Amino acid sequence: MTGYRNVYDEVSRVSGGKAVLVAVSKLHPYEAVLEAYAEGARIFGENRVQEIEAKFPLPEERPEGMEVYLIGQLQRNKVRKAVALVSRIESVDSMPLIQKIEDESARIEKTIDVLLELNSSGEEQKAGFRSADELFDAACYIISSCPHIRLRGVMTVGPLGFDYDKNREAFIAAEQAFSRISSLSPDIDVLSMGMSADWKEALEFGSNEVRIGTAIFGERK
Ligand SMILES: *Cc1c(COP(=O)(O)O)cnc(C)c1O
């Protein structure tokens, strides 16, 4: 058994049933994915294209309703595989990457869901757009020029370590970036923030999708 059921019940209770739970299965084997699936999990988060390719069956061969989201940094040379293997890319953080995703999705006549990632903590090593202005411009570009991308919202990763005030600032910045783009399209309805250590705080600041790994599957090796 995984911790999926407990985490799901807690997230449902705290969010009043409003938040979606992404089960982050990176570095755990496919057997663990199937266990969580049997317990009700449908959406799995992975951070590397190669790991998705090695671990999961092809989309049409996966169990009914199983979805895989890419939540980790995506290199341009992996975009072709990524758009074929996942239904959503949550870590889109540059204009060249957006263009590449549009081109590769058009090539296979697919429309892919994306979230724009905000670097809400200002940490140098973190991925994500550096400011809400840059993120807003990217959103406008997708809406006006990328017919094979459906923009769904904003994703952020809270600051390293747990500090309530820093988390709070990061979550507020992401919520503001989300509010700013949400009027651009009715499809924009996802604010993805919160992991094992900080999901309750993220929900307080408007998250409607949490990405939880450790609390479900245990420590990663
Ligand atoms: C690994 C990861 C998570 C889950 O982290 P846990 O602390 O194990 O819950 C969430 N989001 C992203 C982007 C990740 O890389």
Side-chain angles (χ1 to χ4, degrees), residues 1-51:
M1 266 226 319
T2 73
Y4 181 78
R5 207 64 235 174
N6 281 341
V7 172
Y8 176 84
D9 288 345
E10 271 280 276
V11 168
S12 299
R13 186 179 60 75
V14 175
S15 73
K18 288 199 199 85
V20 170
L21 172 58
V22 176
V24 177
S25 49
K26 66 186 183 198
L27 297 177
H28 293 283
Y30 191 58
E31 291 70 50
V33 169
L34 288 177
E35 257 181 77
Y37 179 86
E39 292 156 16
R42 289 296 177 269
I43 307 173
F44 295 89
E46 288 283 340
N47 67 348
R48 289 177 65 239
V49 176
Q50 273 156 303
E51 187 172 341

Side-chain angles (χ1 to χ4, degrees), residues 8-209:
Y8 176 84
D9 288 345
E10 271 280 276
V11 168
S12 299
R13 186 179 60 75
V14 175
S15 73
K18 288 199 199 85
V20 170
L21 172 58
V22 176
V24 177
S25 49
K26 66 186 183 198
L27 297 177
H28 293 283
Y30 191 58
E31 291 70 50
V33 169
L34 288 177
E35 257 181 77
Y37 179 86
E39 292 156 16
R42 289 296 177 269
I43 307 173
F44 295 89
E46 288 283 340
N47 67 348
R48 289 177 65 239
V49 176
Q50 273 156 303
E51 187 172 341
I52 298 170
E53 196 181 20
K55 189 193 289 187
F56 288 83
L58 291 171
E60 60 275 16
E61 290 157 8
R62 290 175 197 157
E64 176 86 38
M66 182 185 280
E67 306 246 359
V68 180
Y69 291 176
L70 182 68
I71 60 173
Q73 207 162 17
L74 176 57
Q75 288 161 347
R76 260 179 282 166
N77 62 2
K78 303 271 168 55
V79 170
R80 179 167 294 188
K81 278 186 180 161
V83 299
L85 293 173
V86 307
S87 53
R88 191 192 283 180
I89 301 172
E90 301 210 318
S91 42
V92 175
D93 65 355
S94 77
M95 297 299 278
L97 184 59
I98 289 169
Q99 192 58 56
K100 186 78 178 157
I101 293 170
E102 168 59 24
D103 294 346
E104 293 294 349
S105 301
R107 204 180 61 85
I108 58 168
E109 295 176 353
K110 172 174 177 170
T111 301
I112 189 149
D113 282 7
V114 308
L115 304 183
L116 295 176
E117 181 171 359
L118 181 71
N119 179 339
S120 56
S121 61
E123 289 163 299
E124 216 33 69
Q125 70 275 31
K126 276 267 173 69
F129 286 99
R130 299 277 135 180
S131 71
D133 284 342
E134 277 180 47
L135 187 145
F136 184 81
D137 290 346
C140 292
Y141 180 72
I142 292 174
I143 305 268
S144 66
S145 312
C146 301
H148 299 88
I149 298 179
R150 181 165 49 220
L151 180 58
R152 297 296 308 276
V154 171
M155 185 272 257
T156 204
V157 176
L160 288 171
F162 188 81
D163 174 327
Y164 186 79
D165 289 331
K166 282 200 197 138
N167 267 12
R168 191 173 167 220
E169 272 172 42
F171 291 154
I172 289 172
E175 200 284 323
Q176 285 173 346
F178 169 72
S179 296
R180 247 179 98 187
I181 65 166
S182 61
S183 58
L184 294 173
S185 156
D187 293 333
I188 299 175
D189 57 3
V190 180
L191 176 56
S192 177
M193 54 188 195
M195 319 193 342
S196 293
D198 59 11
W199 64 267
K200 283 186 187 150
E201 287 68 32
L203 289 177
E204 272 177 50
F205 292 99
S207 169
N208 58 20
E209 180 189 282

